[in-house]
Amino acid sequence: MSLVIEKQWNGQNAQIGERESIRAPEQTHTIVSREDRQTVGITAVSNPRIRCFDVNVHYGNKHAIKNVSLDIGRNEIIAMIGPSGCGKSTFLRCLNRMNDTIDHCTVTGKIELDGEDINDKSIDVVPLRARVGMVFQKPNPFPKSIYENVAFGPRIHGLAKDKTELEAIVVTSLQRAGLWNEIKDCLDQSGTSLSGGQQQRLCIARAIAINPEVILMDEPCSALDPIATAVIEDLMNELCSDYSIAIVTHSMQQAARVSHRTAYFHLGDLIEVGKTEQLFTNPIHQLTSDYITGRFG
Amino acid sequence: MPDRLEGHTFRRFDGELDHLHVEILEMTTLVFEQIQKAIESFQSQDQKEVHAMIEREFRVNILEKKIDSSIIEVLAKRGPVARDLRAIMGFSKMVTDLERMNDEAVRIAHISTKIYPEDNNRDTDMLREIDIIGNLACTVLQEVIEILKTLDLKRARKLLIHNDLDEEFNTSLRRLTTYVLEDALKMKYTINIILVLKSLERIDNHARNLAEYVIYMVSGDDIRHVEDYR
């Protein structure tokens, strides 16, 4: 039986036999110029959880997001990077209609969650936001006990039949968030008394307690030290076996470490999407290259 | 400094990459001189130059360690990605190839010290083989120095398309076989000539590797071991 070697050329798998020579890359990609604002890379995935088609966001006269189409796959971590004001957080907030709360903000285009248009008038945003949870830059635990912080969501969404079931959800969520061992003896303590990293993990526990399908993270580690950051990144890696995760981050290294795919935004345009390893070693668009190598920004 | 290495918001990063580039060029030039001296002194039997060349080996070794250290420092401090990462990886690979080229040059010098004091039957015909292969190897290396200076993708690709030295090396081997068949006493001398030719052929291979790294640095295409490329 001949040994078959899996060889990857420019992200495309090709099987080559033992005796065959290694083939040259068929086509060297040319760098796309700075002026070209068409998205490069494949925006669609084979197993999408969320599909976005031609999403545009306006804040009054300001065109914040321009014709962005992008899929978020199941069990995938997708990182969104770009300079400040490029629209990555705005785009993230479209995914659970957080922009509804902003005056003069209009969102057009189509965003589907499991094939269902989330902007449809029949969609209730409360269950939608339960399905698409969010973790913010600054940890924002409720001024309640640790237990109550996690129990609040399942209680109002009616996810537990009785107290025992609710306790089970709280314990499981805290365990999944990697916080249980640190706080199991002080569940009555206020959530705000925890350290920054613990508070952020409490917010993650709160988000996963209502069993979401997607977790949106808007710079979740920007206020944390490297150790707390590492814990959150490890956690993301574990959580992606059950959830889709979209993370906005200013840390290029974090995007490179945690994500499967990376999307680069620039002045409201989605410039490039690709596998993280490809984007960080050989980006196709000049703007992506300039940004990640620190040549502007 | 080629523009693909500059333009960082952190200006010092530009300087660090530029410094690495200059050090690589310095090492390449030094290795080139070593190879030229090795070929010249082998042909002229200038033992003084041969020994001087062997003593200069340490300068290349010191440069190798210095560049490696600079590379580690840049990796640790800057966390480079994309073309910067490829540039640094390319420089790192180049250092290894350059050091091996220097080793081959020194090997030629050692062969020279070994054969000439005891065996003075210098054979002009055989030395012509070294002249031919040596010239080809030096021409390739000279072109590689220019490619390295400018990081010119087109020139690097062009260099790799043709390989005259491989063909000439096989022709030389055939001619040397004929010499041995004519006079078996020339066996020892011929073997040493073949060893020198082999070193020159290795030098040519390493020089071509440098051009491959330039292609990787600039375009991201890894064309190593691609049979149908050349």
Side-chain angles (χ1 to χ4, degrees), chain A residues 145-162:
Chain A
S145 69
I146 294 167
Y147 181 91
E148 278 304 318
N149 260 279
V150 185
F152 185 78
R155 194 181 288 133
I156 63 160
H157 287 287
L159 298 179
K161 280 184 282 184
D162 51 35

PDB file of all heavy atoms in Angstrom, chain A residues 145-162:
ATOM      1  N   SER A 145     -25.412  38.364  44.090  1.00  0.00           N
ATOM      2  CA  SER A 145     -24.471  37.293  44.448  1.00  0.00           C
ATOM      3  C   SER A 145     -24.012  36.564  43.178  1.00  0.00           C
ATOM      4  O   SER A 145     -24.655  36.655  42.116  1.00  0.00           O
ATOM      5  CB  SER A 145     -25.153  36.296  45.384  1.00  0.00           C
ATOM      6  OG  SER A 145     -26.132  35.587  44.665  1.00  0.00           O
ATOM      7  N   ILE A 146     -22.925  35.819  43.334  1.00  0.00           N
ATOM      8  CA  ILE A 146     -22.396  35.034  42.208  1.00  0.00           C
ATOM      9  C   ILE A 146     -23.485  34.078  41.705  1.00  0.00           C
ATOM     10  O   ILE A 146     -23.734  33.966  40.500  1.00  0.00           O
ATOM     11  CB  ILE A 146     -21.134  34.256  42.657  1.00  0.00           C
ATOM     12  CG1 ILE A 146     -20.009  35.245  42.987  1.00  0.00           C
ATOM     13  CG2 ILE A 146     -20.686  33.260  41.597  1.00  0.00           C
ATOM     14  CD1 ILE A 146     -18.834  34.640  43.731  1.00  0.00           C
ATOM     15  N   TYR A 147     -24.147  33.422  42.668  1.00  0.00           N
ATOM     16  CA  TYR A 147     -25.202  32.467  42.318  1.00  0.00           C
ATOM     17  C   TYR A 147     -26.294  33.157  41.499  1.00  0.00           C
ATOM     18  O   TYR A 147     -26.692  32.674  40.436  1.00  0.00           O
ATOM     19  CB  TYR A 147     -25.788  31.854  43.596  1.00  0.00           C
ATOM     20  CG  TYR A 147     -26.868  30.839  43.322  1.00  0.00           C
ATOM     21  CD1 TYR A 147     -26.565  29.489  43.171  1.00  0.00           C
ATOM     22  CD2 TYR A 147     -28.220  31.227  43.195  1.00  0.00           C
ATOM     23  CE1 TYR A 147     -27.558  28.564  42.898  1.00  0.00           C
ATOM     24  CE2 TYR A 147     -29.206  30.308  42.924  1.00  0.00           C
ATOM     25  CZ  TYR A 147     -28.874  28.986  42.776  1.00  0.00           C
ATOM     26  OH  TYR A 147     -29.858  28.065  42.500  1.00  0.00           O
ATOM     27  N   GLU A 148     -26.741  34.312  41.994  1.00  0.00           N
ATOM     28  CA  GLU A 148     -27.847  35.018  41.334  1.00  0.00           C
ATOM     29  C   GLU A 148     -27.445  35.516  39.936  1.00  0.00           C
ATOM     30  O   GLU A 148     -28.268  35.564  39.030  1.00  0.00           O
ATOM     31  CB  GLU A 148     -28.320  36.198  42.182  1.00  0.00           C
ATOM     32  CG  GLU A 148     -29.269  35.808  43.295  1.00  0.00           C
ATOM     33  CD  GLU A 148     -30.497  35.057  42.773  1.00  0.00           C
ATOM     34  OE1 GLU A 148     -31.061  35.456  41.731  1.00  0.00           O
ATOM     35  OE2 GLU A 148     -30.868  34.041  43.390  1.00  0.00           O
ATOM     36  N   ASN A 149     -26.175  35.908  39.784  1.00  0.00           N
ATOM     37  CA  ASN A 149     -25.705  36.354  38.471  1.00  0.00           C
ATOM     38  C   ASN A 149     -25.937  35.280  37.416  1.00  0.00           C
ATOM     39  O   ASN A 149     -26.379  35.578  36.304  1.00  0.00           O
ATOM     40  CB  ASN A 149     -24.209  36.676  38.534  1.00  0.00           C
ATOM     41  CG  ASN A 149     -23.946  38.151  38.668  1.00  0.00           C
ATOM     42  OD1 ASN A 149     -23.976  38.884  37.691  1.00  0.00           O
ATOM     43  ND2 ASN A 149     -23.734  38.598  39.909  1.00  0.00           N
ATOM     44  N   VAL A 150     -25.654  34.027  37.790  1.00  0.00           N
ATOM     45  CA  VAL A 150     -25.774  32.935  36.817  1.00  0.00           C
ATOM     46  C   VAL A 150     -27.222  32.435  36.740  1.00  0.00           C
ATOM     47  O   VAL A 150     -27.711  32.094  35.655  1.00  0.00           O
ATOM     48  CB  VAL A 150     -24.801  31.778  37.173  1.00  0.00           C
ATOM     49  CG1 VAL A 150     -24.819  30.691  36.097  1.00  0.00           C
ATOM     50  CG2 VAL A 150     -23.381  32.310  37.336  1.00  0.00           C
ATOM     51  N   ALA A 151     -27.910  32.455  37.874  1.00  0.00           N
ATOM     52  CA  ALA A 151     -29.271  31.896  37.924  1.00  0.00           C
ATOM     53  C   ALA A 151     -30.299  32.808  37.248  1.00  0.00           C
ATOM     54  O   ALA A 151     -31.354  32.345  36.807  1.00  0.00           O
ATOM     55  CB  ALA A 151     -29.674  31.651  39.385  1.00  0.00           C
ATOM     56  N   PHE A 152     -29.961  34.090  37.146  1.00  0.00           N
ATOM     57  CA  PHE A 152     -30.932  35.076  36.643  1.00  0.00           C
ATOM     58  C   PHE A 152     -31.471  34.710  35.247  1.00  0.00           C
ATOM     59  O   PHE A 152     -32.693  34.654  35.037  1.00  0.00           O
ATOM     60  CB  PHE A 152     -30.273  36.463  36.620  1.00  0.00           C
ATOM     61  CG  PHE A 152     -31.213  37.566  36.230  1.00  0.00           C
ATOM     62  CD1 PHE A 152     -32.133  38.078  37.147  1.00  0.00           C
ATOM     63  CD2 PHE A 152     -31.191  38.093  34.944  1.00  0.00           C
ATOM     64  CE1 PHE A 152     -33.009  39.092  36.770  1.00  0.00           C
ATOM     65  CE2 PHE A 152     -32.070  39.102  34.567  1.00  0.00           C
ATOM     66  CZ  PHE A 152     -32.978  39.601  35.485  1.00  0.00           C
ATOM     67  N   GLY A 153     -30.580  34.447  34.327  1.00  0.00           N
ATOM     68  CA  GLY A 153     -30.988  34.154  32.943  1.00  0.00           C
ATOM     69  C   GLY A 153     -31.881  32.929  32.837  1.00  0.00           C
ATOM     70  O   GLY A 153     -33.012  33.019  32.317  1.00  0.00           O
ATOM     71  N   PRO A 154     -31.424  31.757  33.345  1.00  0.00           N
ATOM     72  CA  PRO A 154     -32.264  30.558  33.260  1.00  0.00           C
ATOM     73  C   PRO A 154     -33.630  30.764  33.928  1.00  0.00           C
ATOM     74  O   PRO A 154     -34.644  30.242  33.452  1.00  0.00           O
ATOM     75  CB  PRO A 154     -31.452  29.494  34.017  1.00  0.00           C
ATOM     76  CG  PRO A 154     -30.052  29.982  33.986  1.00  0.00           C
ATOM     77  CD  PRO A 154     -30.107  31.472  33.912  1.00  0.00           C
ATOM     78  N   ARG A 155     -33.644  31.566  34.990  1.00  0.00           N
ATOM     79  CA  ARG A 155     -34.911  31.777  35.697  1.00  0.00           C
ATOM     80  C   ARG A 155     -35.888  32.561  34.816  1.00  0.00           C
ATOM     81  O   ARG A 155     -37.021  32.139  34.622  1.00  0.00           O
ATOM     82  CB  ARG A 155     -34.647  32.523  37.008  1.00  0.00           C
ATOM     83  CG  ARG A 155     -35.846  32.475  37.950  1.00  0.00           C
ATOM     84  CD  ARG A 155     -35.587  33.240  39.228  1.00  0.00           C
ATOM     85  NE  ARG A 155     -34.653  32.575  40.126  1.00  0.00           N
ATOM     86  CZ  ARG A 155     -33.621  33.168  40.731  1.00  0.00           C
ATOM     87  NH1 ARG A 155     -33.366  34.433  40.506  1.00  0.00           N
ATOM     88  NH2 ARG A 155     -32.842  32.491  41.547  1.00  0.00           N
ATOM     89  N   ILE A 156     -35.416  33.671  34.233  1.00  0.00           N
ATOM     90  CA  ILE A 156     -36.375  34.483  33.458  1.00  0.00           C
ATOM     91  C   ILE A 156     -36.739  33.824  32.121  1.00  0.00           C
ATOM     92  O   ILE A 156     -37.785  34.096  31.567  1.00  0.00           O
ATOM     93  CB  ILE A 156     -35.887  35.941  33.221  1.00  0.00           C
ATOM     94  CG1 ILE A 156     -34.610  35.982  32.395  1.00  0.00           C
ATOM     95  CG2 ILE A 156     -35.725  36.716  34.511  1.00  0.00           C
ATOM     96  CD1 ILE A 156     -34.400  37.343  31.742  1.00  0.00           C
ATOM     97  N   HIS A 157     -35.858  32.955  31.636  1.00  0.00           N
ATOM     98  CA  HIS A 157     -36.199  32.260  30.384  1.00  0.00           C
ATOM     99  C   HIS A 157     -36.917  30.937  30.650  1.00  0.00           C
ATOM    100  O   HIS A 157     -37.226  30.199  29.707  1.00  0.00           O
ATOM    101  CB  HIS A 157     -34.931  32.003  29.559  1.00  0.00           C
ATOM    102  CG  HIS A 157     -34.372  33.242  28.918  1.00  0.00           C
ATOM    103  ND1 HIS A 157     -34.972  33.854  27.847  1.00  0.00           N
ATOM    104  CD2 HIS A 157     -33.294  34.006  29.219  1.00  0.00           C
ATOM    105  CE1 HIS A 157     -34.279  34.933  27.501  1.00  0.00           C
ATOM    106  NE2 HIS A 157     -33.251  35.050  28.332  1.00  0.00           N
ATOM    107  N   GLY A 158     -37.145  30.640  31.935  1.00  0.00           N
ATOM    108  CA  GLY A 158     -37.877  29.427  32.298  1.00  0.00           C
ATOM    109  C   GLY A 158     -37.165  28.149  31.904  1.00  0.00           C
ATOM    110  O   GLY A 158     -37.784  27.183  31.454  1.00  0.00           O
ATOM    111  N   LEU A 159     -35.850  28.145  32.067  1.00  0.00           N
ATOM    112  CA  LEU A 159     -35.073  26.974  31.648  1.00  0.00           C
ATOM    113  C   LEU A 159     -34.989  25.890  32.732  1.00  0.00           C
ATOM    114  O   LEU A 159     -34.520  24.789  32.460  1.00  0.00           O
ATOM    115  CB  LEU A 159     -33.651  27.391  31.231  1.00  0.00           C
ATOM    116  CG  LEU A 159     -33.538  28.347  30.037  1.00  0.00           C
ATOM    117  CD1 LEU A 159     -32.085  28.698  29.765  1.00  0.00           C
ATOM    118  CD2 LEU A 159     -34.158  27.735  28.790  1.00  0.00           C
ATOM    119  N   ALA A 160     -35.402  26.228  33.966  1.00  0.00           N
ATOM    120  CA  ALA A 160     -35.323  25.244  35.054  1.00  0.00           C
ATOM    121  C   ALA A 160     -36.707  25.044  35.652  1.00  0.00           C
ATOM    122  O   ALA A 160     -37.428  26.014  35.903  1.00  0.00           O
ATOM    123  CB  ALA A 160     -34.349  25.726  36.121  1.00  0.00           C
ATOM    124  N   LYS A 161     -37.040  23.736  35.881  1.00  0.00           N
ATOM    125  CA  LYS A 161     -38.379  23.428  36.425  1.00  0.00           C
ATOM    126  C   LYS A 161     -38.428  23.733  37.914  1.00  0.00           C
ATOM    127  O   LYS A 161     -39.450  24.148  38.438  1.00  0.00           O
ATOM    128  CB  LYS A 161     -38.698  21.941  36.199  1.00  0.00           C
ATOM    129  CG  LYS A 161     -39.173  21.646  34.768  1.00  0.00           C
ATOM    130  CD  LYS A 161     -39.578  20.201  34.611  1.00  0.00           C
ATOM    131  CE  LYS A 161     -38.339  19.323  34.483  1.00  0.00           C
ATOM    132  NZ  LYS A 161     -38.611  17.923  34.244  1.00  0.00           N
ATOM    133  N   ASP A 162     -37.335  23.463  38.588  1.00  0.00           N
ATOM    134  CA  ASP A 162     -37.326  23.685  40.041  1.00  0.00           C
ATOM    135  C   ASP A 162     -35.942  24.153  40.489  1.00  0.00           C
ATOM    136  O   ASP A 162     -35.022  24.309  39.680  1.00  0.00           O
ATOM    137  CB  ASP A 162     -37.723  22.401  40.779  1.00  0.00           C
ATOM    138  CG  ASP A 162     -36.895  21.220  40.287  1.00  0.00           C
ATOM    139  OD1 ASP A 162     -35.697  21.429  39.967  1.00  0.00           O
ATOM    140  OD2 ASP A 162     -37.416  20.106  40.187  1.00  0.00           O
TER     141      ASP A 162
END
